């Protein structure tokens, strides 16, 4: 029997309709959640901080990794947004998945999204979990429906979807500092002819501890304190798909085993020593949009969850920018 091809997508026949249903459901959610004031994101609405950074590609990459963004050693200016994943704004002491969204600037070349083909940005989205909560768009849509329903709707869903419950139990955790978490893409991306997953791994000098009596916003406070003292560094790494069975494209709920293919560092993310907790920078962080489809074709997102993101992120971003009466634009540098 022939081996399954690598970097291969398999699109279910009904997926387009499910994505439309999910997009409408999440749009209705934010209309209900934010009837007045700022219209926020459907997920990751609570921002711990938006910070300036540099993303420097390694000079000694293997030939197979010299692709797209990583074709040559280069440093890109970046904005990095740290957040809670929960769809509502809750105290940082609650268990949650945390997010890191990186927006690189000054990236030449046509991008995947036709409407933003000539933009000079490239986004990299990661979370503090190495598995996505759902196996596909249909399961994620069912989860979204259950979470917006009654207690019994939630109970029925989790009794019938034990793996979703187990992944949430494993990945919703308490953390001490967003600058000291390892983040993963969970979903795969093209890397030229290869498929990869991404990770951002902190270079730790001293490990923070959670306060005995944490405030509702202690994760922001921890970031402020660390960046007053010095830089924060992350190794940005890729994990190459080498086995289509053990490392599937269409089910991001399956962790790709590092024993089969370890992560390989390709760049350094340096977050400068800085003060970032200002009204202007916080407002700018609310206005920014991130999507994995802000990307070069060499790094096109793969798999059903990413295909859903293409529609959902664009719909939600356009809707909330219109509701907030702010233009939807891509930054070209650190000026705000």
């Amino acid at each position: 029997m022939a081996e399954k091809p690598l970097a291969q997508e398999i699109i279910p026949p009904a997926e387009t309709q499910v994505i439309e249903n999910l997009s409408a459901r999440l749009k209705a959610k934010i209309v209900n959640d934010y009837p007045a004031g700022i219209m926020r994101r459907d997920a990751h609405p609570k921002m711990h901080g938006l910070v300036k950074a540099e993303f420097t590609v390694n000079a000694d990459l293997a030939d197979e990794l010299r692709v797209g963004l990583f074709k040559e050693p280069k440093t890109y200016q970046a904005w990095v947004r740290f957040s809670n994943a929960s769809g509502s704004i809750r105290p940082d002491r609650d268990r949650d998945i945390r997010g890191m969204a990186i927006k690189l600037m000054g990236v030449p070349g046509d991008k995947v999204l036709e409407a933003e083909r000539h933009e000079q940005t490239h986004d990299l989205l990661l979370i503090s979990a190495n598995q996505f909560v759902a196996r596909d768009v249909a399961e994620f849509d069912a989860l979204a429906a259950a979470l917006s329903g009654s207690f019994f709707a939630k109970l029925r869903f989790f009794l019938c979807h034990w793996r979703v419950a187990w992944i949430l139990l494993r990945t919703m955790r308490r953390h001490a500092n967003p600058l000291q978490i390892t983040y993963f893409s969970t979903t795969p991306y093209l890397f030229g002819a290869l498929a990869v997953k991404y990770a951002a791994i902190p270079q730790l000098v001293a490990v923070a501890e959670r306060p005995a009596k944490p405030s509702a916003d202690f994760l922001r406070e921890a970031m402020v304190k660390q960046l007053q003292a010095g830089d924060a560094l992350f190794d940005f790494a890729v994990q190459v798909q080498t086995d289509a069975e053990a490392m599937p494209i269409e089910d991001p709920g399956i962790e790709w085993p590092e024993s089969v293919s370890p992560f390989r560092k390709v760049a350094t993310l340096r977050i400068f020593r800085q003060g970032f907790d200002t009204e202007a920078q916080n407002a700018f962080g609310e206005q920014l949009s991130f999507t994995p489809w802000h990307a070069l074709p060499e790094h096109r997102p793969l798999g059903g969850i990413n295909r859903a993101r293409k529609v959902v992120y664009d719909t939600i971003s356009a809707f909330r920018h219109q509701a907030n009466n702010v233009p939807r634009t891509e930054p070209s540098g650190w000026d705000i």
Side-chain angles (χ1 to χ4, degrees), residues 115-295:
E116 298 173 358
R117 179 180 176 186
H118 301 299
E119 295 289 355
Q120 300 292 291
T121 51
H122 187 114
D123 293 355
L124 301 161
L125 276 64
L126 306 99
I127 59 173
S128 60
N130 55 13
Q131 296 168 278
F132 191 76
V133 66
R135 70 179 68 250
D136 55 23
V137 184
E139 188 171 68
F140 189 74
D141 183 47
L143 171 62
L147 291 178
S148 63
S150 66
F151 168 79
F152 293 104
K154 296 178 180 67
L155 182 62
R156 281 195 302 271
F157 175 84
F158 287 116
L159 286 175
C160 296
H161 298 83
W162 60 266
R163 194 185 78 162
V164 174
W166 172 243
I167 292 174
L168 284 173
L169 185 65
R170 284 189 64 243
T171 57
M172 292 186 68
R173 301 173 57 191
R174 295 185 176 96
H175 294 276
N177 186 338
L179 299 173
Q180 299 187 4
I181 299 171
T182 298
Y183 297 89
F184 303 88
S185 67
T186 73
T187 54
Y189 296 81
L190 278 180
F191 204 90
L194 307 173
V196 303
K197 290 186 178 182
Y198 301 134
I201 306 161
Q203 298 181 17
L204 297 179
V205 176
V207 179
E209 294 185 1
R210 293 178 67 249
K213 296 182 179 180
S215 73
D217 301 310
F218 81 91
L219 291 177
R220 174 182 286 269
E221 294 161 6
M223 287 180 59
V224 168
K225 182 178 179 181
Q226 181 171 340
L227 293 179
Q228 284 175 341
D231 297 352
L233 298 173
F234 287 82
D235 293 340
F236 192 85
V238 298
Q239 183 185 28
V240 178
Q241 184 197 37
T242 57
D243 183 327
E245 292 284 356
M247 309 168 77
I249 295 295
E250 294 294 342
D251 186 353
I254 294 178
E255 178 185 358
W256 287 5
E258 293 186 52
S259 59
V260 175
S261 179
F263 279 98
R264 300 157 69 182
K265 181 180 177 182
V266 291
T268 298
L269 178 69
R270 175 176 173 247
I271 300 172
F272 309 111
R273 177 179 180 177
Q274 62 189 275
F276 66 87
D277 192 12
T278 67
E279 184 176 348
Q281 200 148 311
N282 291 335
F284 183 64
E286 289 295 335
Q287 295 171 19
L288 280 179
S289 287
F290 294 88
T291 168
W293 292 85
H294 280 153

Side-chain angles (χ1 to χ4, degrees), residues 25-36 39 148 319:
R25 191 184 310 282
L26 295 178
K27 182 178 176 180
K29 173 188 179 298
I30 61 173
V31 170
N32 181 70
D33 289 350
Y34 307 107
M39 181 75 72
S148 63
F319 180 70

Side-chain angles (χ1 to χ4, degrees), residues 71-146:
K71 191 171 184 178
E72 58 186 29
K74 187 173 181 179
T75 296
Y76 300 95
Q77 290 185 350
W79 287 105
V80 185
R81 183 182 187 268
F82 292 92
S83 61
N84 281 347
S86 172
S88 59
I89 295 179
R90 294 162 28 189
D92 293 344
R93 56 182 171 269
D94 290 355
R95 293 182 180 275
D96 206 340
I97 296 169
R98 321 296 170 176
M100 170 196 270
I102 305 168
K103 185 175 292 292
L104 305 180
M105 296 173 287
V107 180
D110 289 350
K111 307 305 187 298
V112 175
L113 293 177
E114 185 59 35
E116 298 173 358
R117 179 180 176 186
H118 301 299
E119 295 289 355
Q120 300 292 291
T121 51
H122 187 114
D123 293 355
L124 301 161
L125 276 64
L126 306 99
I127 59 173
S128 60
N130 55 13
Q131 296 168 278
F132 191 76
V133 66
R135 70 179 68 250
D136 55 23
V137 184
E139 188 171 68
F140 189 74
D141 183 47
L143 171 62

